[in-house]
Amino acid sequence: MKSLRSALRLGACSVLASSVLLSSLAFASAKQAPAKAPRPDLPPLPIEETGAVRTLPDTFPESWMYVDEAAFFSMFGGKIILLDVDEKNPTKRIKAIADKNLLGNFKAAQGRNEFYIMESFHARGSRGPREDVLAIYDKNTFKILKEIVWKDATRLTALPERYAMGLSKDERFLYVANFSPAASFSVVDLDKREVIDVIGTPGCVLTYPTGERSVTSLCSNGGLLTTVLDASGKKASQHRVKPFFDTDKTPIFERPAIVDGMAYFPGFAGKMHTVDLRGDVAKFVETWELLTPEERKTNWRPGGLVLNDKDEQGLMYIIAHENGADGTQTHGGSHVWIIDPKSKKRLRKIKLPGWGISIAVTRGKAPKLVVTNGDLNLDIIDPKDGSLIQTISDFGNVTPLLVNKAY
């Protein structure tokens, strides 16, 4: 015990000596470098505003676009970025951001102040039981208004696709494509905020809005299937349209540009296929040539992930590349062609500043061309003369594979 008390006394003395030494050093340091007196001639700093919430306008400017950031390399942490593609100041370009998970599908309404994200979650992040959820967002505040959990189907999980979801003409019903692997689509009543029906579409996928309240899907045999709904959103009838292309010999892109109710499906080899979606049931109209004889000799072809879009004047835009072959339909291209679908004539060819993977067109009478380039940045181009306005990067883009108009 005596030795223990001696050790404790010795330890206490050591601690006391260390404290005195530290205090002396601190005093000496303070004496050598006295603190500067505050500047009385400067005004006090303003009180910083915190927790500020901004509300977006009911009608967005024509240059605002929804960028679908897929986060393809991880599948997690994807997002929808509301971006002003005309803005030159990088700090002012981003207007709002919404999260989406596991290649979530996106659709924005025009008449309703809403947009929709269909996404999936696993209980343990990348594993465990899966749950598919439709999130309904307020477009002015980017707050979630309602979440609807999928129970009777598994939503389509694929690369970003404009027609993985569709809206009825009056925007009362939302159509969501399912694939589990049985193909179907769910009908969501947006007024009641509930799933009305899950309708099977054997061998046919995607949701092209048709007529007042119908849905057309593209089928594996080269045909179409139109589902007609009743006033409550339930299935009234289904109608098959006979094949209009050969899935082995003359395949087409499942991504049409729909102009005034007419769907224009480009083929891999350079032919356009027109389908009339204005009535209750889809009708195949015709096939016509996109290429000149000279272009066909050098194997010009359409290509890209999201290879086409339309403007509000009714013109189509499509990515194209030379020396095409089997498999190059996914590669993108060096040019964008502007086509008048009514006259079936190409109006202009735009040489891109770099390689184009996906394209979109802004709203308005003077639209801008938005191109996801090979570096996965956005090239903003004036389609009148093909001039590059600016390249937008560092806005959270990793894989901005799809860009949509914002209303």
Side-chain angles (χ1 to χ4, degrees):
M1 290 296 292
K2 186 176 180 180
S3 60
L4 178 59
R5 284 196 296 269
S6 299
L8 289 173
R9 280 197 295 269
L10 180 60
C13 291
S14 299
V15 171
L16 180 60
S18 299
S19 300
V20 170
L21 178 60
L22 289 173
S23 298
S24 300
L25 290 173
F27 177 75
S29 175
K31 195 172 182 179
Q32 291 173 2
K36 292 184 178 180
R39 291 278 305 274
D41 57 316
L42 294 178
L45 291 174
I47 297 175
E48 184 177 354
E49 183 183 4
T50 60
V53 176
R54 300 285 186 264
T55 300
L56 298 170
D58 286 337
T59 302
F60 292 162
E62 294 172 347
S63 59
W64 289 16
M65 306 285 279
Y66 289 113
V67 179
D68 191 331
E69 169 48 57
F72 178 75
F73 299 116
S74 68
M75 308 276 181
F76 298 99
K79 47 193 174 288
I80 296 295
I81 304 170
L82 184 60
L83 193 73
D84 185 350
V85 300
D86 269 355
E87 178 59 59
K88 298 296 194 298
N89 186 342
T91 65
K92 295 182 179 180
R93 285 186 185 129
I94 297 175
K95 304 303 177 182
I97 296 176
D99 294 329
K100 71 183 188 74
N101 201 51
L102 282 178
L103 295 175
N105 305 323
F106 171 81
K107 189 70 180 178
Q110 295 186 34
R112 308 174 76 104
N113 281 8
E114 297 176 348
F115 63 87
Y116 315 97
I117 295 178
M118 187 74 215
E119 51 193 335
S120 302
F121 302 91
H122 290 278
R124 292 172 179 81
S126 61
R127 58 192 175 86
R130 168 175 163 167
E131 187 172 65
D132 294 341
V133 178
L134 173 67
I136 302 175
Y137 282 82
D138 183 317
K139 80 162 194 179
N140 303 115
T141 63
F142 269 51
K143 292 182 179 179
I144 293 180
L145 301 174
K146 176 75 174 180
E147 284 189 346
I148 301 174
V149 177
W150 249 223
K151 295 180 179 179
D152 301 321
T154 302
R155 65 103 176 173
L156 174 68
T157 306
L159 287 172
E161 165 69 64
R162 286 197 177 109
Y163 301 104
M165 293 198 288
L167 285 160
S168 61
K169 190 173 183 179
D170 61 4
E171 295 193 343
R172 178 184 169 186
F173 297 112
L174 177 71
Y175 314 129
V176 182
N178 301 312
F179 199 79
S180 57
S184 66
F185 68 92
S186 297
V187 182
V188 180
D189 188 321
L190 294 174
D191 290 340
K192 296 180 179 179
R193 305 295 203 213
E194 62 182 30
V195 176
I196 297 299
D197 203 359
V198 177
I199 300 171
T201 56
C204 308
V205 293
L206 300 177
T207 56
Y208 309 111
T210 305
E212 296 294 325
R213 197 159 289 172
S214 301
V215 182
T216 295
S217 304
L218 185 64
C219 304
S220 58
N221 68 345
L224 300 167
L225 174 66
T226 296
T227 303
V228 180
L229 307 179
D230 62 21
S232 67
K234 297 278 189 178
K235 182 177 77 171
S237 60
Q238 285 188 317
H239 308 265
R240 288 195 176 269
V241 178
K242 66 180 182 180
F244 60 94
F245 68 98
D246 189 310
T247 55
D248 292 323
K249 297 179 181 178
T250 57
I252 68 171
F253 295 89
E254 82 283 6
R255 304 168 184 265
I258 301 179
V259 180
D260 297 328
M262 304 294 286
Y264 298 94
F265 291 86
F268 288 7
K271 291 184 181 292
M272 187 67 77
H273 307 265
T274 305
V275 175
D276 188 346
L277 301 178
R278 295 173 297 180
D280 287 340
V281 179
K283 297 178 182 178
F284 172 68
V285 179
E286 61 180 340
T287 297
W288 45 281
E289 185 65 69
L290 274 174
L291 309 178
T292 65
E294 292 75 19
E295 289 166 344
R296 192 159 287 287
K297 290 178 182 178
T298 54
N299 288 325
W300 277 90
R301 294 188 176 190
L305 177 61
V306 183
L307 76 160
N308 53 8
D309 199 7
K310 63 178 180 181
D311 64 22
E312 293 182 342
Q313 286 66 53
L315 302 180
M316 288 192 305
Y317 300 67
I318 186 167
I319 302 175
H321 61 271
E322 198 173 13
N323 299 318
D326 289 343
T328 65
Q329 70 274 2
T330 63
H331 291 183
S334 58
H335 287 70
V336 168
W337 294 345
I338 302 177
I339 299 166
D340 180 355
K342 291 183 179 179
S343 65
K344 306 182 187 66
K345 292 182 179 179
R346 184 169 58 220
L347 305 181
R348 285 188 296 281
K349 293 195 295 185
I350 297 174
K351 176 71 168 67
L352 297 177
W355 197 255
I357 298 172
S358 296
I359 59 170
V361 184
T362 63
R363 296 165 40 228
K365 294 181 179 180
K368 303 295 190 302
L369 183 61
V370 181
V371 180
T372 301
N373 63 30
D375 295 323
L376 297 176
N377 297 319
L378 300 182
D379 288 332
I380 314 304
I381 294 169
D382 187 340
K384 290 181 180 179
D385 57 11
S387 61
L388 176 66
I389 298 171
Q390 65 174 335
T391 296
I392 299 177
S393 60
D394 296 330
F395 59 91
N397 55 306
V398 178
T399 48
L401 302 179
L402 174 59
V403 180
N404 295 279
K405 294 176 177 63
Y407 294 90

